[in-house]
Amino acid sequence: MARISLDPPRTLLNRTLAALSRRRYGAVLEPLAAVGHNPRVATTYCVLEAGVARWRALDPALAALAVMATAVRIGCSWCVDFGYWESEHDDVDPRKLHDVPAWRESEAYTTAERRVLEYAEAATATPPTVTDELAAALVDDLGEPAFVELTALVALENLRSRINAALGLSSQGFSDRCEIPLAGGLRTAGTAGRLAG
């Protein structure tokens, strides 16, 4: 249950963002409705997401795995479900997305993908547990521009997931084809994840 109304003031900004969200996703994203109570936060959030949408250094499949691993680690069911739905529409292998919570046991991943998953978890830990060896291996795998993008994407997903989880947002219903277990035994069955990727 959301800890804040998902019916923000009907300002021009909120009506515009709601219309854009409906056109792109078929529904108003609940995180967008929640932050709509503060126009400066909503504007900053949307400008940030618009900038992130133009990042191109990191392979999209690796980006999807990093985002999913971060959301799973935090336990944001909204983010896990929306992230699955969004990545599925971007042609990311569904098995790889589904196996993220148990990536260490799965045979679905390449060495570079395993490093990305490990890095997302280590960078999300409080305090972060990233090792010099892991960072160096990823720089070798990806190159410096993509490594920086990976790091920023994990940090951004921490922002998204922590806001959504703290506001009590849960699955919205974007994905109805997959059940992905979350960290700590939480589960999501067919629903939604980030503000707007």
Side-chain angles (χ1 to χ4, degrees), residues 120-135:
E121 288 185 356
T124 299
T126 305
T129 58
V130 175
T131 65
D132 292 341
E133 295 78 17
L134 177 57

Side-chain angles (χ1 to χ4, degrees), residues 6-29:
L6 297 178
D7 187 21
R10 293 194 43 78
T11 63
L12 178 60
L13 173 65
N14 285 336
R15 289 193 320 268
T16 301
L17 293 176
L20 292 171
S21 180
R22 272 191 223 92
R23 186 170 58 201
R24 181 166 180 188
Y25 302 106
V28 176
L29 300 180

Side-chain angles (χ1 to χ4, degrees), residues 30-193:
E30 290 179 356
L32 191 60
V35 299
H37 290 282
N38 184 316
R40 289 183 178 156
V41 171
T43 300
T44 301
Y45 214 166
C46 290
V47 168
L48 175 62
E49 291 290 354
V52 171
R54 292 189 297 273
W55 293 357
R56 299 282 184 264
L58 184 62
D59 177 89
L62 294 177
L65 292 176
V67 165
M68 187 66 72
T70 303
V72 166
R73 176 59 72 178
I74 291 169
C76 178
S77 66
W78 200 96
C79 298
V80 168
D81 193 54
F82 182 78
Y84 180 85
W85 176 84
E86 186 176 48
S87 296
E88 182 181 70
H89 285 83
D90 290 338
D91 295 325
V92 178
D93 181 347
R95 177 175 178 214
K96 290 183 180 188
L97 294 169
H98 184 273
D99 286 359
V100 165
W103 67 266
R104 286 174 179 83
E105 293 80 37
S106 175
E107 297 178 9
Y109 305 105
T110 66
T111 300
E113 290 168 339
R114 288 182 181 285
R115 286 187 186 123
V116 165
L117 291 161
E118 181 181 357
Y119 185 77
E121 288 185 356
T124 299
T126 305
T129 58
V130 175
T131 65
D132 292 341
E133 295 78 17
L134 177 57
L138 278 167
V139 169
D140 287 344
D141 288 342
L142 308 174
E144 290 177 339
F147 177 70
V148 169
E149 189 171 306
L150 171 64
T151 303
L153 192 57
V154 169
L156 175 60
E157 187 55 35
N158 267 269
L159 171 74
R160 294 167 175 153
S161 290
R162 291 180 189 282
I163 287 174
N164 294 345
L167 291 176
L169 303 180
S170 59
S171 298
Q172 188 174 338
F174 281 89
S175 170
D176 58 5
R177 293 175 298 279
C178 181
E179 182 173 296
I180 302 173
L182 295 175
L186 299 174
R187 296 181 83 72
T188 180
T191 44

